[in-house]
Amino acid sequence: MILNCAGKALNLSSPCVMGILNVTPDSFSDGGVFLEADAALEQALRMVADGAAIIDIGGESTRPGAQAVSEQEELDRVIPIIEALAKEIDVPISIDTNKPEVMRAAVSAGAGMINDVMALQVPGALEAAQQLSVPVCLMHMQGEPRTMQQNPQYQDVVADILAFFEQRIEVCVSAGIERSMLLVDPGFGFGKRLEHNQQLLKNLGKLQQLKLPLLVGISRKSMIGAMLNDASVDQRLHGSVAAAVMAYERGAAILRVHDVKPTVDALTVAEAVLNIDN
Ligand code: 8Y7
């Protein structure tokens, strides 16, 4: 199973690590645009050398409570990096955005996948994705980033997410997007309490019934911190790797992570064991 990401291949027959490249500048840094872009490129090249199969570039933080970013600001952050990086690496680049104009500019600049935490629900996003004909990851979120962690409620988290995807897939296909271009992601931490996230990971295999590639992002998230006695973000590596292996065993094709090398090694071992006969 090979996904064509605007001419760059993503081979899903082995576990794929998606390296996270955030280009949300820290407002206390006055390093300047060029230094920041250089640092981002260097980090991306490191992730590729460490075995990342795809790089996910995002210019708007979607963390709980995060501020929205204007379209122009998002374009200014991500487009120069995508242009430079697309020339340097053979692995595909994914654009983490929910804005149709950012999707268009990113694909023109060399991105080959859309990663949309809003699952193409922003006006104009369905049309943009259909016209761009690159693979699209539809992520589930309950609520919106600013308020999603206030009081998330589910009847049955897995069943509710399955129903959401069935509806979104139908909308996408009706809009002319080929089913073979779609991926799904249950959106760990997006409008989910700890127990919802745990139920979702334990029962992730049930999402395989959608017959679409599964993408999963758990790396360094607060669910890991919560299970490790409130470990801080920099103390979540080993827990994150364990969660990535569990997700892979339950059918995840792509693991979105910050720590590429540890995750690649863990998945390489898991794959070698799972693929042995008998
Ligand atoms: C996810 C994501 C984030 C995720 C997909 C973080 C952009 C928060 N999480 N995209 N983005 N899946 N597909 O902690 O879980 O990385 S942002």
Side-chain angles (χ1 to χ4, degrees), residues 22-257:
N22 284 319
V23 285
T24 43
D26 134 23
S27 51
F28 299 102
S29 137
D30 61 355
V33 177
F34 293 106
L35 287 178
E36 275 169 26
D38 270 2
L41 282 176
E42 199 180 308
Q43 196 197 334
L45 295 178
R46 158 73 53 82
M47 291 195 289
V48 172
D50 285 346
I54 180 166
I55 301 294
D56 188 42
I57 302 186
E60 176 181 34
S61 176
T62 28
R63 285 178 180 283
Q67 285 283 310
V69 167
S70 77
E71 180 178 303
Q72 193 57 52
E73 175 70 24
E74 203 178 322
L75 289 167
D76 291 345
R77 290 178 184 180
V78 298
I79 299 305
I81 315 270
I82 294 171
E83 273 177 354
L85 193 57
K87 286 182 223 143
E88 296 267 342
I89 62 175
D90 294 328
V91 306
I93 296 168
S94 135
I95 175 67
D96 156 21
T97 192
N98 51 55
K99 297 185 180 71
E101 292 313 317
V102 177
M103 294 172 186
R104 292 181 196 280
V107 172
S108 295
M113 185 187 286
I114 296 166
N115 175 26
D116 185 359
V117 302
M118 298 287 294
L120 304 180
Q121 292 175 99
V122 167
L126 268 176
E127 294 74 10
Q130 187 272 327
Q131 290 161 5
L132 294 168
S133 18
V134 294
V136 184
C137 179
L138 305 172
M139 200 197 76
H140 174 271
M141 162 162 41
Q142 184 180 94
E144 50 170 284
R146 206 170 44 80
T147 51
M148 65 190 175
Q149 291 308 103
Q150 281 171 14
N151 191 20
Q153 309 261 3
Y154 294 88
Q155 285 255 310
D156 170 331
V157 68
V158 176
D160 290 4
I161 288 173
L162 271 170
F164 169 82
F165 283 135
E166 271 156 14
Q167 181 240 324
R168 288 312 297 162
I169 292 163
E170 167 61 28
V171 168
C172 288
V173 170
S174 296
I177 299 175
E178 280 183 44
R179 197 185 161 91
S180 63
M181 288 293 194
L182 299 174
L183 300 89
V184 292
D185 181 333
F188 283 91
F190 285 83
K192 287 142 192 122
R193 306 175 199 285
L194 176 59
E195 62 168 341
H196 297 139
N197 290 314
Q198 291 167 320
Q199 289 163 350
L200 203 44
L201 181 52
K202 183 175 178 183
N203 298 292
L204 190 72
K206 293 184 182 169
L207 298 184
Q208 290 187 48
Q209 68 188 260
L210 294 167
K211 306 274 183 224
L212 291 177
L214 258 182
L215 195 156
V216 163
I218 308 181
S219 180
R220 299 185 188 173
K221 283 188 178 171
S222 64
M223 63 182 281
I224 301 295
M227 289 186 272
L228 295 175
N229 195 22
D230 285 330
S232 62
V233 171
D234 63 347
Q235 297 298 316
R236 296 177 187 170
L237 168 62
H238 308 95
S240 297
V241 170
V245 172
M246 290 184 71
Y248 167 59
E249 275 206 84
R250 287 160 177 74
I254 305 176
L255 290 306
R256 182 180 178 277
V257 308

